[in-house]
Amino acid sequence: MDTNPGLRNQAGVRAFFRVTGPLVLLGAVVLGIIGFVDFIGSMNSFGPPTRFWMLMVAIPMLAVGGWLTQAGYGGVAARYASGELSPVVKDSAAYLTDGEGLLGVGRTVDDERASGPFCRSCGTRNDGDARFCDGCGTSLA
């Protein structure tokens, strides 16, 4: 049984999305500009626009290119957002619960469970009988 939740060739699919998405977006922008310029140019003449259809093709291409690009860079954006938001959530939980924490997040008050030594590497307070740090795994001996 495969325990990996991702695709079999995840890196290849991600690379495909990262290349194809911006190319589709670029094509949509080019078609959109051509169609828009043709539409504006037809206002000075008495003839109808002949390339206005390009603007109508560019609109769904923008959506598809955006979706492909989001699929390619979604993991990077999620990791960035998590790294930015996690400390704020932890601080907010500590503040709103007077240091008691909420579901284990934001606990700053010491209790009998964490009455042992502080870690030299990361500063986490550990249990009295702990041999390794709960935060980073460094030996406490």
Side-chain angles (χ1 to χ4, degrees):
M1 180 176 172
D2 189 15
T3 59
N4 185 3
L7 299 172
R8 206 175 284 275
N9 183 16
Q10 183 118 6
V13 172
R14 183 174 43 244
F16 172 77
F17 287 152
R18 287 182 176 181
V19 170
T20 307
L23 287 176
V24 171
L25 284 172
L26 181 65
V29 168
V30 169
L31 287 177
I33 289 172
I34 292 170
F36 184 73
V37 167
D38 181 59
F39 177 73
I40 297 299
S42 70
M43 291 182 183
N44 292 336
S45 66
F46 293 106
T50 57
R51 293 187 204 115
F52 185 68
W53 61 271
M54 291 183 178
L55 185 60
M56 295 300 117
V57 170
I59 293 170
M61 278 180 67
L62 282 172
V64 170
W67 292 330
L68 291 171
T69 304
Q70 285 177 349
Y73 290 99
V76 174
R79 284 187 294 278
Y80 172 76
S82 175
E84 291 292 316
L85 295 176
S86 293
V88 175
V89 170
K90 181 179 177 184
D91 292 344
S92 298
Y95 175 76
L96 293 172
T97 61
D98 293 328
E100 293 295 327
L102 182 64
L103 299 174
V105 175
R107 183 165 186 82
T108 58
V109 175
D110 288 338
D111 62 2
E112 61 278 353
R113 292 177 300 159
S115 60
F118 288 96
C119 176
R120 293 183 303 273
S121 297
C122 69
T124 300
R125 183 97 182 232
N126 293 280
D127 297 336
D129 59 347
R131 292 177 31 192
F132 296 97
C133 175
D134 292 334
C136 67
T138 303
S139 175
L140 296 173

